[in-house]
Amino acid sequence: MSDREAGRFFGTQRIEWFNGGLFDVDSALSFTRDELRTVAEASNLDWSQVEPAILGTLFERGLDPAKRGQLGAHYTDREKILMVVDPVVMTPLRRVFAAMQERVNGLMKDREPSPLTREGLRRANLPKWETNAEAEWRGFLDRLRHVRVLDPACGSGNFLYVTLRLLKDLEQQAIRWGAERLRITGEFPRVDPHNVLGIEINPYAKELAGVAIWIGHIQWMLDHGYGFPRDPVLQPLDNIELRDAILAYDEEGNPVPAAWPEAECIVGNPPLRRSVR
């Protein structure tokens, strides 16, 4: 057993390697006996289906009330998030998906896909219409997997968490449709936390956003029968940037408009004071 592996055991219990910015500091908190008992009781609960949005609620309530407006920190529930994400992100993508399905159905013209080999694989020499149909399907998946959605003042990441799950749902729908319509063997989903981008000025909120997005991703994978990397469980998200979304400075210290990363869609709350969220 390596030194690193040996350090991940408490007695006979293996401690998961979580990683992520929230766990960079290993200082121990000072607890009373009652507080330790409360932590022990909480750790024995099943948190597998916890709603990541709770992190945003905790963050907002932990702020000084006088600074909530200054930071634009405002919790938004899922119903209101969907009012933005659905028409801005998902409706156009679903329209592209439907157009791809129509093109594939036109290429097939009531013909059945070639039978699979004994090993359950697609045959090497397929007719042109079938290779064209598969190219259409793969083209949509490729586009979906390269979608980037930005929340320029992401707070604890609720908009990005909801968006990621919806993108993964659409990818899964497309994979299943390809398997049924074209007899293409199932693919592993590739939409992941790197499809969402964020900017946040508060360091703690920035780290919470990364955790919320990873929790949402892992929950989705488990809910749909997939595994996920455990070494580490969480990975740092460089696509959640810690900075002001409105103001930046040039090399001479002069104020300039902040540049945003390239994204296909922008989501978030209406402007509140200095930031979008």
Side-chain angles (χ1 to χ4, degrees):
M1 182 183 297
S2 66
D3 291 341
R4 190 182 79 172
E5 193 68 24
R8 291 169 59 184
F9 280 84
F10 182 78
T12 59
Q13 183 177 359
R14 185 178 187 273
I15 307 300
E16 295 283 4
W17 176 25
F18 277 89
N19 206 357
L22 282 180
F23 306 97
D24 282 344
V25 179
D26 59 0
S27 57
L29 299 176
S30 178
F31 284 145
T32 64
R33 178 177 298 181
D34 288 340
E35 289 169 340
L36 283 172
R37 185 178 293 110
T38 299
V39 170
E41 291 172 354
S43 67
N44 288 326
L45 299 175
D46 182 3
W47 294 89
S48 61
Q49 296 302 315
V50 66
E51 174 63 41
I54 194 175
L55 299 177
T57 305
L58 294 174
F59 169 66
E60 183 180 353
R61 291 180 179 177
L63 286 174
D64 180 343
K67 294 196 174 183
R68 290 179 189 171
Q70 182 182 8
L71 290 173
H74 174 65
Y75 168 71
T76 309
D77 60 63
R78 181 181 177 86
E79 182 179 354
K80 291 185 176 63
I81 290 174
L82 289 174
M83 292 173 65
V84 174
V85 173
D86 213 44
V88 172
V89 181
M90 301 312 301
T91 296
L93 288 173
R94 292 187 186 112
R95 203 175 289 133
V96 175
F97 180 42
M100 179 274 293
Q101 291 174 301
E102 186 175 349
R103 290 194 299 272
V104 168
N105 289 330
L107 287 167
M108 297 184 72
K109 296 179 181 177
D110 301 323
R111 293 176 287 201
E112 288 297 318
S114 302
L116 302 177
T117 65
R118 291 183 179 181
E119 293 77 21
L121 303 175
R122 300 200 78 196
R123 298 184 181 278
N125 298 318
L126 296 174
K128 185 174 178 58
W129 66 266
E130 198 165 356
T131 58
N132 289 342
E134 181 174 344
E136 290 281 355
W137 174 78
R138 293 196 179 280
F140 171 76
L141 276 181
D142 184 66
R143 174 175 178 180
L144 181 61
R145 289 163 176 168
H146 284 85
V147 165
R148 295 294 181 269
V149 180
L150 169 67
D151 184 343
C154 66
S156 58
N158 284 355
F159 270 85
L160 299 180
Y161 152 73
V162 171
T163 300
L164 177 62
R165 288 193 66 108
L166 291 174
L167 290 173
K168 291 180 73 67
D169 285 342
L170 182 57
E171 181 190 29
Q172 181 77 345
Q173 182 183 353
I175 289 172
R176 288 179 175 174
W177 185 84
E180 295 170 359
R181 192 73 180 91
L182 297 170
R183 293 180 183 167
I184 297 174
T185 52
E187 291 202 358
F188 193 81
R190 299 183 199 169
V191 171
D192 66 18
H194 296 89
N195 287 88
V196 293
L197 313 172
I199 303 173
E200 175 54 41
I201 197 171
N202 183 285
Y204 188 56
K206 182 259 188 190
E207 298 299 342
L208 282 180
V211 171
I213 292 165
W214 272 114
I215 289 175
H217 171 69
I218 291 171
Q219 285 179 335
W220 189 97
M221 297 294 281
L222 293 176
D223 289 345
H224 292 79
Y226 297 102
F228 62 92
R230 294 178 179 269
D231 199 27
V233 175
L234 305 179
Q235 300 177 27
L237 282 180
D238 295 335
N239 43 309
I240 307 297
E241 301 180 43
L242 178 63
R243 61 183 175 89
D244 195 308
I246 303 298
L247 185 64
Y249 297 90
D250 62 20
E251 295 179 355
E252 299 177 354
N254 300 312
V256 295
W260 290 0
E262 291 187 10
E264 189 166 338
C265 305
I266 297 174
V267 298
N269 277 320
L272 294 173
R273 290 200 180 185
R274 64 179 292 175
S275 63
V276 176
R277 182 172 183 174

PDB file of all heavy atoms in Angstrom, residues 14 18 20 27 57 112 146 150 165 169 189 206 254 267:
ATOM      1  N   ARG A  14     -12.064   3.263   4.773  1.00  0.00           N
ATOM      2  CA  ARG A  14     -11.412   4.047   3.728  1.00  0.00           C
ATOM      3  C   ARG A  14     -12.086   5.404   3.611  1.00  0.00           C
ATOM      4  O   ARG A  14     -13.309   5.509   3.530  1.00  0.00           O
ATOM      5  CB  ARG A  14     -11.498   3.310   2.390  1.00  0.00           C
ATOM      6  CG  ARG A  14     -10.729   3.991   1.246  1.00  0.00           C
ATOM      7  CD  ARG A  14     -10.844   3.155  -0.022  1.00  0.00           C
ATOM      8  NE  ARG A  14      -9.993   3.666  -1.079  1.00  0.00           N
ATOM      9  CZ  ARG A  14     -10.350   4.620  -1.940  1.00  0.00           C
ATOM     10  NH1 ARG A  14     -11.541   5.168  -1.845  1.00  0.00           N
ATOM     11  NH2 ARG A  14      -9.518   5.021  -2.888  1.00  0.00           N
ATOM     12  N   PHE A  18     -11.827  13.599  -1.796  1.00  0.00           N
ATOM     13  CA  PHE A  18     -12.814  14.482  -2.411  1.00  0.00           C
ATOM     14  C   PHE A  18     -12.181  15.527  -3.306  1.00  0.00           C
ATOM     15  O   PHE A  18     -12.677  15.817  -4.384  1.00  0.00           O
ATOM     16  CB  PHE A  18     -13.665  15.156  -1.328  1.00  0.00           C
ATOM     17  CG  PHE A  18     -14.790  14.289  -0.861  1.00  0.00           C
ATOM     18  CD1 PHE A  18     -14.613  13.403   0.186  1.00  0.00           C
ATOM     19  CD2 PHE A  18     -16.016  14.326  -1.483  1.00  0.00           C
ATOM     20  CE1 PHE A  18     -15.634  12.588   0.614  1.00  0.00           C
ATOM     21  CE2 PHE A  18     -17.053  13.511  -1.079  1.00  0.00           C
ATOM     22  CZ  PHE A  18     -16.865  12.639  -0.018  1.00  0.00           C
ATOM     23  N   GLY A  20     -11.111  19.353  -4.613  1.00  0.00           N
ATOM     24  CA  GLY A  20     -11.939  20.543  -4.738  1.00  0.00           C
ATOM     25  C   GLY A  20     -11.488  21.615  -3.760  1.00  0.00           C
ATOM     26  O   GLY A  20     -10.935  21.329  -2.695  1.00  0.00           O
ATOM     27  N   SER A  27      -7.250  22.278   8.284  1.00  0.00           N
ATOM     28  CA  SER A  27      -7.332  22.657   9.698  1.00  0.00           C
ATOM     29  C   SER A  27      -8.604  22.089  10.312  1.00  0.00           C
ATOM     30  O   SER A  27      -9.653  22.019   9.671  1.00  0.00           O
ATOM     31  CB  SER A  27      -7.316  24.183   9.836  1.00  0.00           C
ATOM     32  OG  SER A  27      -8.379  24.759   9.091  1.00  0.00           O
ATOM     33  N   THR A  57     -28.920  28.211  -0.396  1.00  0.00           N
ATOM     34  CA  THR A  57     -29.681  28.721   0.737  1.00  0.00           C
ATOM     35  C   THR A  57     -28.774  28.955   1.930  1.00  0.00           C
ATOM     36  O   THR A  57     -28.847  29.990   2.604  1.00  0.00           O
ATOM     37  CB  THR A  57     -30.794  27.726   1.112  1.00  0.00           C
ATOM     38  OG1 THR A  57     -31.597  27.453  -0.033  1.00  0.00           O
ATOM     39  CG2 THR A  57     -31.677  28.285   2.211  1.00  0.00           C
ATOM     40  N   GLU A 112     -35.171  -0.573 -42.755  1.00  0.00           N
ATOM     41  CA  GLU A 112     -34.688  -1.012 -41.461  1.00  0.00           C
ATOM     42  C   GLU A 112     -33.165  -0.976 -41.425  1.00  0.00           C
ATOM     43  O   GLU A 112     -32.514  -1.289 -42.429  1.00  0.00           O
ATOM     44  CB  GLU A 112     -35.169  -2.429 -41.167  1.00  0.00           C
ATOM     45  CG  GLU A 112     -36.656  -2.533 -40.846  1.00  0.00           C
ATOM     46  CD  GLU A 112     -37.015  -1.777 -39.577  1.00  0.00           C
ATOM     47  OE1 GLU A 112     -36.251  -1.863 -38.605  1.00  0.00           O
ATOM     48  OE2 GLU A 112     -38.057  -1.088 -39.575  1.00  0.00           O
ATOM     49  N   HIS A 146     -20.485  19.919 -26.979  1.00  0.00           N
ATOM     50  CA  HIS A 146     -19.626  21.106 -27.021  1.00  0.00           C
ATOM     51  C   HIS A 146     -20.373  22.379 -26.636  1.00  0.00           C
ATOM     52  O   HIS A 146     -19.803  23.478 -26.715  1.00  0.00           O
ATOM     53  CB  HIS A 146     -19.007  21.270 -28.417  1.00  0.00           C
ATOM     54  CG  HIS A 146     -17.876  20.319 -28.679  1.00  0.00           C
ATOM     55  ND1 HIS A 146     -18.085  19.030 -29.138  1.00  0.00           N
ATOM     56  CD2 HIS A 146     -16.537  20.453 -28.520  1.00  0.00           C
ATOM     57  CE1 HIS A 146     -16.912  18.425 -29.264  1.00  0.00           C
ATOM     58  NE2 HIS A 146     -15.957  19.259 -28.899  1.00  0.00           N
ATOM     59  N   LEU A 150     -23.047  29.870 -19.860  1.00  0.00           N
ATOM     60  CA  LEU A 150     -22.385  30.748 -18.900  1.00  0.00           C
ATOM     61  C   LEU A 150     -23.394  31.437 -17.993  1.00  0.00           C
ATOM     62  O   LEU A 150     -24.401  31.972 -18.450  1.00  0.00           O
ATOM     63  CB  LEU A 150     -21.583  31.821 -19.659  1.00  0.00           C
ATOM     64  CG  LEU A 150     -21.034  32.985 -18.825  1.00  0.00           C
ATOM     65  CD1 LEU A 150     -19.954  32.510 -17.859  1.00  0.00           C
ATOM     66  CD2 LEU A 150     -20.513  34.094 -19.733  1.00  0.00           C
ATOM     67  N   ARG A 165     -28.034  19.243 -15.607  1.00  0.00           N
ATOM     68  CA  ARG A 165     -28.909  18.063 -15.560  1.00  0.00           C
ATOM     69  C   ARG A 165     -29.808  17.996 -16.795  1.00  0.00           C
ATOM     70  O   ARG A 165     -30.057  16.918 -17.341  1.00  0.00           O
ATOM     71  CB  ARG A 165     -29.736  18.061 -14.278  1.00  0.00           C
ATOM     72  CG  ARG A 165     -28.930  17.758 -13.024  1.00  0.00           C
ATOM     73  CD  ARG A 165     -29.846  17.452 -11.852  1.00  0.00           C
ATOM     74  NE  ARG A 165     -30.601  16.220 -12.070  1.00  0.00           N
ATOM     75  CZ  ARG A 165     -30.365  15.078 -11.423  1.00  0.00           C
ATOM     76  NH1 ARG A 165     -29.371  15.005 -10.558  1.00  0.00           N
ATOM     77  NH2 ARG A 165     -31.116  14.019 -11.654  1.00  0.00           N
ATOM     78  N   ASP A 169     -29.907  15.074 -19.595  1.00  0.00           N
ATOM     79  CA  ASP A 169     -31.159  14.395 -19.948  1.00  0.00           C
ATOM     80  C   ASP A 169     -31.325  14.326 -21.469  1.00  0.00           C
ATOM     81  O   ASP A 169     -31.720  13.286 -22.019  1.00  0.00           O
ATOM     82  CB  ASP A 169     -32.359  15.137 -19.347  1.00  0.00           C
ATOM     83  CG  ASP A 169     -32.500  14.913 -17.843  1.00  0.00           C
ATOM     84  OD1 ASP A 169     -31.907  13.947 -17.325  1.00  0.00           O
ATOM     85  OD2 ASP A 169     -33.207  15.705 -17.195  1.00  0.00           O
ATOM     86  N   PRO A 189     -22.422   8.570 -21.526  1.00  0.00           N
ATOM     87  CA  PRO A 189     -22.682  10.019 -21.609  1.00  0.00           C
ATOM     88  C   PRO A 189     -21.425  10.837 -21.374  1.00  0.00           C
ATOM     89  O   PRO A 189     -20.606  10.506 -20.512  1.00  0.00           O
ATOM     90  CB  PRO A 189     -23.718  10.255 -20.494  1.00  0.00           C
ATOM     91  CG  PRO A 189     -23.568   9.095 -19.577  1.00  0.00           C
ATOM     92  CD  PRO A 189     -23.144   7.933 -20.411  1.00  0.00           C
ATOM     93  N   LYS A 206     -17.962  30.652  -4.991  1.00  0.00           N
ATOM     94  CA  LYS A 206     -17.321  30.025  -6.152  1.00  0.00           C
ATOM     95  C   LYS A 206     -17.050  28.548  -5.891  1.00  0.00           C
ATOM     96  O   LYS A 206     -17.307  27.692  -6.735  1.00  0.00           O
ATOM     97  CB  LYS A 206     -16.037  30.778  -6.482  1.00  0.00           C
ATOM     98  CG  LYS A 206     -15.295  30.263  -7.711  1.00  0.00           C
ATOM     99  CD  LYS A 206     -14.126  29.392  -7.345  1.00  0.00           C
ATOM    100  CE  LYS A 206     -13.281  29.042  -8.558  1.00  0.00           C
ATOM    101  NZ  LYS A 206     -12.282  28.011  -8.289  1.00  0.00           N
ATOM    102  N   ASN A 254      -5.676  50.583 -15.236  1.00  0.00           N
ATOM    103  CA  ASN A 254      -6.856  51.331 -15.638  1.00  0.00           C
ATOM    104  C   ASN A 254      -8.073  50.407 -15.707  1.00  0.00           C
ATOM    105  O   ASN A 254      -7.970  49.279 -16.190  1.00  0.00           O
ATOM    106  CB  ASN A 254      -6.635  51.973 -17.012  1.00  0.00           C
ATOM    107  CG  ASN A 254      -5.457  52.926 -16.997  1.00  0.00           C
ATOM    108  OD1 ASN A 254      -5.339  53.760 -16.108  1.00  0.00           O
ATOM    109  ND2 ASN A 254      -4.583  52.789 -17.993  1.00  0.00           N
ATOM    110  N   VAL A 267     -27.135  32.520 -18.939  1.00  0.00           N
ATOM    111  CA  VAL A 267     -28.281  32.417 -18.038  1.00  0.00           C
ATOM    112  C   VAL A 267     -27.943  33.132 -16.741  1.00  0.00           C
ATOM    113  O   VAL A 267     -26.790  33.458 -16.469  1.00  0.00           O
ATOM    114  CB  VAL A 267     -28.642  30.946 -17.760  1.00  0.00           C
ATOM    115  CG1 VAL A 267     -29.053  30.227 -19.040  1.00  0.00           C
ATOM    116  CG2 VAL A 267     -27.484  30.208 -17.083  1.00  0.00           C
TER     117      VAL A 267
END
